[in-house]
Amino acid sequence: MAPQPPLLTMSGITKSFPGVRALDGVDLEVQAGEVHCLLGQNGAGKSTLIKVLAGAHQPDGGEITWRGAPAVLKSPLAAMRLGIATIYQELDLVRGLSVAENVFLGHEPTSAGFVVRTRRGRTGAAALLERLGHPEIDPARAVGELSAAQQQIVSMARALSHDVRLIVMDEPSAALDPDEVGNLFRIIASLTAEGVAVVYISHRLEEIRRIGDRVTVLKDGRAVASGLPAETTPTHDIVAMMTGRKVEYVFPPRPAKGSAKGSAKGAAKGAAKGSGNGSGMDSGNGSGKGPGRTDVPVLTVEGLSRKGEFAPVDLEVRPGEIVGLAGLVGSGRSEILETVYGARRATTGRVTVAGRVLRPGSVRAAVAAGIGLAPEERKAQALLMLESVTRNVSLSTMSRHSRAGWLDRGAERKAARAATRALSLRPDDPDTPVRTLSGGNQQKAVLARWLLRGCRVLLLDEPTRGVDVGARAELYAVIRRLADEGLAVLLVSSEVPEVLGLSDRVLVLREGHVVHTAEAKDLDEHRVLDLVMEGSPTP
């Protein structure tokens, strides 16, 4: 029997945008029933390639073959009609429509030529959700009311509502807890057993080992490796291909207790003044006598709770300390951060910053006291994507650069540039639109805002979500450096190694309860996972 041709072949694909050659002769071959992993740093060309495959971009050159025949993907609809579906990291769901309406959007069930939006659509959506292992999702419920993990499932159901033969999944596990990731892999295994191919994009290399068959690595718009076996290719080789250098997945060392390198507050003042050396970070008192680590907590949380979200929690964070919150999605981690920040109003308890009790449910009071938040959804909740780096960094300090109602744009730009240089944000151009930055540099822009503000407490919710493996180590160093300069950091991450590697102390949460507290050095990944999945909540 003659071998079957590849399901998909992309040969010599090129694509340029003004000033940028995004794809430079990329080849990709995908077999039916395989999971083909696409790897590369932010800016390597992954997004452009999958948009060409989805029909959202037209290539400047190259050829696409689908099931042995030449194909021209003139639009997303043309790609879908061939059997190619794409699930983007930024889910393209309509929040105001129901689950069923989103699942069948653009190809609604009809009867006698009329669109049927109710019973038949809900029945069909329910069947797809059950196939995906989530029969509990109500097809009549508005998508905007669902969790991020549930919205991901709805997006998958929409893809399966078509007769798909290839599904592109862009960072599908980013918003999922370990149980949900396991369910995702079960779904993928079921699809590939039916002959459906999956192009899987992820920054989590351990996922590639578990789910992938072959790997293609992109760097600077080129495929530097194609069709590598996912299971046996060494991780350090993959990272070296992605980055062009060897990158050790290590975290900055924890400083000895009592050490100090200077004041983060001083650094912020230096940035605000546009200090001559431009370092900002090192512009504290410079004497090594800054706050560093002390025994006096700057943030104290006492009996803080929100009904239905998390039980009373007590915690303290000292200057120079990173405290991590570990737990599954829905354990109350992010809700605790948002309540401390005043974005949610507590049912009980209080938050104190440097001895000052904050007014409940007031972001203004929290910011005035010195609390800054880098939220999980930074693009939607923290950044003005069409504005410049300068405007994004100066959002919380614009009044400092205003005189008689007029904004001194020169002073604003100078202060913002000092703050971004302190964090080595690239490119070093304060006029760059923030939407053009990589995920890691967008996160630095958020951190620079709070550095410029002179915050005392930094709340980090999923700080490396959407940040590639090469940039993570740099972001880890930035976070540790900010703590070493005297900031108190409260950290949430879905990745247990990240919590353990960055934190000094860890609170483990399960079902809204703190089930364990320990020094990070006394925990390991297996112990934390046992606690978050099996640990008994405290009464």
Side-chain angles (χ1 to χ4, degrees), residues 493-527:
S493 175
S494 297
E495 300 187 36
V496 175
E498 187 166 273
V499 175
L500 297 179
L502 276 176
S503 305
D504 300 296
R505 288 187 296 116
V506 175
L507 279 68
V508 182
L509 290 138
R510 179 172 179 266
E511 297 177 3
H513 294 76
V514 176
V515 297
H516 192 71
T517 303
E519 295 287 319
K521 61 182 178 60
D522 296 330
L523 294 169
D524 60 34
E525 185 174 2
H526 290 98
R527 173 61 174 152

Side-chain angles (χ1 to χ4, degrees), residues 400-442:
R400 299 179 185 175
H401 312 300
S402 299
R403 299 290 183 274
W406 293 92
L407 179 64
D408 185 339
R409 296 187 182 275
E412 177 196 24
R413 191 173 186 272
K414 185 177 181 181
R417 188 163 198 169
T420 56
R421 282 184 170 177
L423 302 182
S424 300
L425 187 148
R426 292 185 296 272
D428 183 20
D429 180 2
D431 298 325
T432 300
V434 79
R435 63 180 172 81
T436 65
L437 302 181
S438 67
N441 282 295
Q442 287 179 355

